[in-house]
Amino acid sequence: MTVLPSVVAAIGGTPLVELGRISDELELEGRLLAKLDYLNPGFSKKDRAARSIIEQARASGALAEGQTVVELTSGNMGTGLAIVCAVMGHPFVAVMSTGNSEERARMMRALGAEVVLVPQAKGSRRGEVSGEDLALVEEAAQRITTERGAFRADQFALPGNADAHAAGTAPEIWEQSDGQVTAFCDFVGSGGTLGGAARYLLPRGVRVYAVEPDNPAHPIQGGGYAMAHLPQLDGADLAGTVTVSGAEATENARLLAKTEGIFGGYSAGANLAAAVRLLQGAEKGGVVAFLVCDSGLKYLSTDLWE
Ligand SMILES: Cc1ncc(COP(=O)(O)O)c(C=O)c1O
């Protein structure tokens, strides 16, 4: 038995689960493995990136003791940062689009964060955060960082994001599957998960696929921003991109909950839809792993569970 020094030490080391019931139901050739990253302290995989970015910044001196931290977020990165900042003694300001679900802002506030909500661009719909919405959030985050003399925990630019997955998520998947995984796919937001996982998995012969929405107006919070360049993916030699619709993401999140008892969000559904498609095509007979990126509890106010 071990007593951890803080909840930050409980980030990572999540279970990898065989989805035998879904494989049987869909008569798939091959295996589906789900990494339950919704079991992290902030109920998402982004806890990993938050811890890694803050620890690297403290180690390099880019972040001074007690200095304020600012970051834009769809809610999950902000929750991870709120947890890490609470434990390490940094005030934290989360900048988020009003397009993201309300429970995310509530949770960050509960964890001591100041939450600045940025109205969506004209014509954008609630629950659908576009690249244009994100540009407005970025502008606000830059302004607040300057005003407060803060450290910007920039998930799109800082190497700590991808490093967390190259050093944590991917080696965990590799070891938990006894080196049997043959493909990995992930819905892209910052690209930190995919880029970091690719760095570890590609040299081991694992093919790595991006998951993207089929349409700019989609309900899959946390990514699918159609950005021209994602630095976190630089050098990642992807085997391809799997495109999924919002409806497929929704159906597959529901399937995951009903059939396997795994309560994830939209992007988990998008990843499952992509993994199934891979097993039906390019990766037939293989072992495809993906992340359950966050908890279904974060979507109780949305159409996901109506
Ligand atoms: C629920 C969810 N899924 C997927 C992603 C995308 O992950 P990444 O930023 O590592 O590409 C995020 C990012 O915030 C997220 O919150």
Side-chain angles (χ1 to χ4, degrees):
M1 297 285 274
T2 320
V3 175
L4 301 176
S6 82
V7 76
V8 172
I11 294 171
T14 55
L16 186 70
V17 174
E18 176 105 41
L19 305 187
R21 288 144 206 88
I22 291 180
S23 302
D24 285 350
E25 191 170 314
L26 303 181
E27 298 179 7
L28 297 174
E29 248 175 72
R31 298 170 65 198
L32 280 173
L33 304 181
K35 179 100 173 121
L36 306 191
D37 257 45
Y38 73 108
L39 297 179
N40 276 301
F43 311 110
S44 97
K45 67 177 181 177
K46 299 297 281 196
D47 288 6
R48 296 176 185 266
R51 176 179 61 185
S52 170
I53 285 175
I54 296 301
E55 283 179 354
Q56 285 186 5
R58 282 300 297 266
S60 72
L63 172 62
E65 200 176 326
Q67 191 181 2
T68 297
V69 173
V70 174
E71 178 53 343
L72 66 76
T73 177
S74 68
N76 284 330
M77 183 67 179
T79 299
L81 284 167
I83 289 169
V84 175
C85 288
V87 168
M88 293 177 70
H90 296 279
F92 171 58
V93 185
V95 191
M96 187 171 90
S97 168
T98 49
N100 293 118
S101 62
E102 169 63 18
E103 44 271 63
R104 293 156 183 263
R106 288 196 183 188
M107 185 173 176
M108 288 189 283
R109 285 194 196 104
L111 289 163
E114 178 184 335
V115 180
V116 177
L117 290 175
V118 180
Q120 289 183 274
K122 233 177 139 189
S124 289
R125 286 178 47 186
R126 230 189 145 73
E128 294 177 0
V129 179
S130 67
E132 205 183 337
D133 295 329
L134 200 68
L136 294 172
V137 181
E138 171 63 30
E139 226 173 85
Q142 283 182 15
R143 178 175 44 76
I144 294 164
T145 304
T146 309
E147 281 170 8
R148 310 272 180 107
F151 169 76
R152 174 75 194 276
D154 192 341
Q155 58 177 310
F156 284 89
L158 292 173
N161 180 0
D163 289 351
H165 300 286
T169 317
E172 288 170 24
I173 290 172
W174 185 250
E175 280 153 30
Q176 288 167 321
S177 73
D178 288 326
Q180 288 185 25
V181 58
T182 55
F184 173 77
C185 63
D186 196 53
F187 182 72
V188 174
S190 68
T193 308
L194 196 66
R199 205 190 307 159
Y200 182 89
L201 294 173
L202 288 174
R204 288 165 178 81
V206 179
R207 286 170 299 283
V208 171
Y209 295 83
V211 181
E212 296 278 1
D214 66 347
N215 186 308
H218 65 85
I220 315 167
Q221 295 181 31
Y225 305 123
M227 289 166 76
H229 174 225
L230 290 172
Q232 303 289 357
L233 285 178
D234 283 350
D237 188 9
L238 302 181
T241 298
V242 185
T243 303
V244 301
S245 68
E248 281 177 300
T250 305
E251 276 162 31
N252 280 271
R254 291 174 181 167
L255 180 72
L256 193 58
K258 280 215 174 87
T259 313
E260 300 281 358
I262 295 172
F263 196 51
Y266 282 105
S267 67
N271 285 347
L272 173 58
V276 166
R277 186 122 23 99
L278 286 170
L279 279 182
Q280 290 168 335
E283 298 295 332
K284 201 172 198 166
V287 181
V288 181
F290 69 89
L291 296 194
V292 178
C293 304
D294 72 351
S295 167
L297 288 174
K298 300 193 182 206
Y299 303 89
L300 290 177
S301 71
T302 74
D303 294 341
L304 184 53
W305 309 120
E306 64 181 6

